[in-house]
Amino acid sequence: RPTRTAPELKGELQPVPAVASAHLHAPHDVVVYLPPGYDAEGTRRYPVLYLQDGQNLFDPRTAFIYGQDWRLGETIETLLARRAIEPLLVVAVANAGALRLDEYAPSRDAARGAGGKADLYGRFLVEELKPYIDWRFRTRPGAADTGIGGSSMGGLLALHLGLTRSDSFGRVAALSPSVWWGHEEIALSIASLTMKLPLRVWLDAGTREGPNLLRQVRRVRDQLTAKGWRLNEDFGYLEARGASHDERAWGARAGKMLRFLFPPRRSAQRGLWDALAGTESRIETEGARR
């Protein structure tokens, strides 16, 4: 049984427990990551990334498999110390357990008896949680500075909400998205777009997740490029060699995703970098090294 405990971070993790919604049956626990220097720089505002399956991101004790979290806090602070990303807030929204498929899937799957509430979950994020986060914390609330992300079914949700709520989310992180759901309906949604949306998109998959998923993710890649997204400009794509479908694999390449979606701004204030000068790398993953 793993013994690693929650990491010591220079930033801060602020819990917002049991956030209720008029649109969903269950409340959601939320944790907000504030980067180093947040309190000291009292006028600065930050972009925000809303990530699903939040219990798997920062704390090994709450991860779906005990001890196997993304180590996201360590990755962020390693990248900040290297000035490789812009300081950001991360809103980690825990899933609702047995209701996870219902809330993350855009359509109902009769065989599984689940799905179909992704749009309601999107209303929870856009109409209830986001206004609260923008009120309580110093965010840059516009769509261009707001990201939506997740892995597996959470990645499918991120793609869906990027396509349907680009008025609220301008950056999309889809790690190993379950694009097979609904007979690959997400690819059809992209193909049916009448115009390219103002989205910066990250899409990836591991080569050990099975040939079907990789083929399906490649189809989404091709649909996006056919609609005008440009690789390495507003579209980042990665096939992670040897990576499987699990938290460790997603955490290992989270750094690549962050570097693409939240590159450093030239106007970053010097004080933040000074605050991070002593940060050491406590993570040895491909995502942090590259």
Side-chain angles (χ1 to χ4, degrees), residues 17 32 51 57 72 94 108 114 122 172 174 182 213 231 280:
V32 180
L51 284 176
L57 303 179
L72 190 61
R108 184 77 176 171
V172 173
L213 180 66
L231 281 169
E280 297 180 355

Side-chain angles (χ1 to χ4, degrees), residues 4 70-71 74-75 78 82 248 251-253 280-290:
R4 190 171 73 85
W70 284 30
R71 300 189 176 197
E74 295 110 313
T75 296
T78 295
R82 297 175 181 178
R248 284 179 175 169
R253 58 185 188 264
E280 297 180 355
S281 173
R282 296 181 295 273
I283 176 172
E284 295 182 358
T285 67
E286 181 181 0
R289 287 198 302 269
R290 295 189 179 181

Side-chain angles (χ1 to χ4, degrees), residues 15-279:
V16 185
V19 180
S21 171
H23 304 295
L24 303 174
H25 291 299
H28 289 261
D29 290 333
V30 174
V31 172
V32 180
Y33 170 81
L34 305 176
Y38 179 87
D39 289 333
E41 299 185 40
T43 60
R44 182 172 185 164
R45 292 189 170 272
Y46 298 82
V48 184
L49 175 60
Y50 290 80
L51 284 176
Q52 317 322 305
D53 294 314
Q55 59 264 66
N56 296 327
L57 303 179
F58 292 102
D59 192 336
R61 299 167 300 186
T62 62
F64 177 69
I65 300 177
Y66 185 93
Q68 294 186 25
D69 62 305
W70 284 30
R71 300 189 176 197
L72 190 61
E74 295 110 313
T75 296
I76 290 172
E77 295 188 1
T78 295
L79 294 174
L80 286 173
R82 297 175 181 178
R83 306 187 189 187
I85 61 171
E86 178 183 10
L88 74 155
L89 273 61
V90 175
V91 179
V93 186
N95 67 55
L99 298 176
R100 178 177 180 269
L101 276 182
D102 280 347
E103 295 181 350
Y104 287 4
S107 61
R108 184 77 176 171
D109 186 310
R112 291 179 174 84
K117 296 184 178 180
D119 290 326
L120 290 175
Y121 183 85
R123 292 189 67 181
F124 158 62
L125 293 181
V126 172
E127 299 174 14
E128 298 170 327
L129 182 59
K130 186 178 184 300
Y132 171 77
I133 296 296
D134 291 336
W135 168 78
R136 179 169 171 181
F137 302 100
R138 297 194 313 275
T139 68
R140 301 203 302 262
D145 291 309
T146 306
I148 180 77
S151 60
S152 192
M153 289 299 297
L156 174 66
L157 174 79
L159 283 171
H160 174 72
L161 292 182
L163 295 176
T164 59
R165 296 307 307 258
S166 61
D167 59 325
S168 297
F169 302 110
R171 313 188 198 194
V172 173
L175 289 78
S176 303
S178 300
V179 295
W180 50 265
W181 186 274
H183 303 288
E184 302 181 53
E185 63 188 0
I186 196 70
L188 297 176
S189 296
I190 297 169
S192 65
L193 290 174
T194 58
M195 60 182 294
K196 180 187 173 188
L197 299 173
L199 297 175
R200 186 172 179 86
V201 180
W202 172 270
L203 175 67
D204 70 28
T207 61
R208 292 185 61 188
E209 298 188 61
N212 288 336
L213 180 66
L214 198 56
R215 172 180 53 80
Q216 292 156 351
V217 168
R218 286 171 177 169
R219 182 174 293 121
V220 170
R221 173 201 63 190
D222 294 343
Q223 294 286 5
L224 287 169
T225 55
K227 290 297 178 179
W229 275 270
R230 296 155 297 186
L231 281 169
N232 302 320
E233 293 186 31
D234 56 3
F235 179 33
Y237 178 76
L238 173 68
E239 293 181 4
R241 187 177 300 276
S244 53
H245 196 83
D246 55 52
E247 311 302 333
R248 284 179 175 169
W250 298 321
R253 58 185 188 264
K256 291 178 180 290
M257 174 270 290
L258 291 169
R259 291 177 73 165
F260 182 78
L261 290 182
F262 297 91
R265 302 177 83 195
R266 293 182 180 179
S267 60
Q269 298 179 25
R270 180 71 187 180
L272 173 78
W273 309 123
D274 291 341
L276 283 160
T279 301

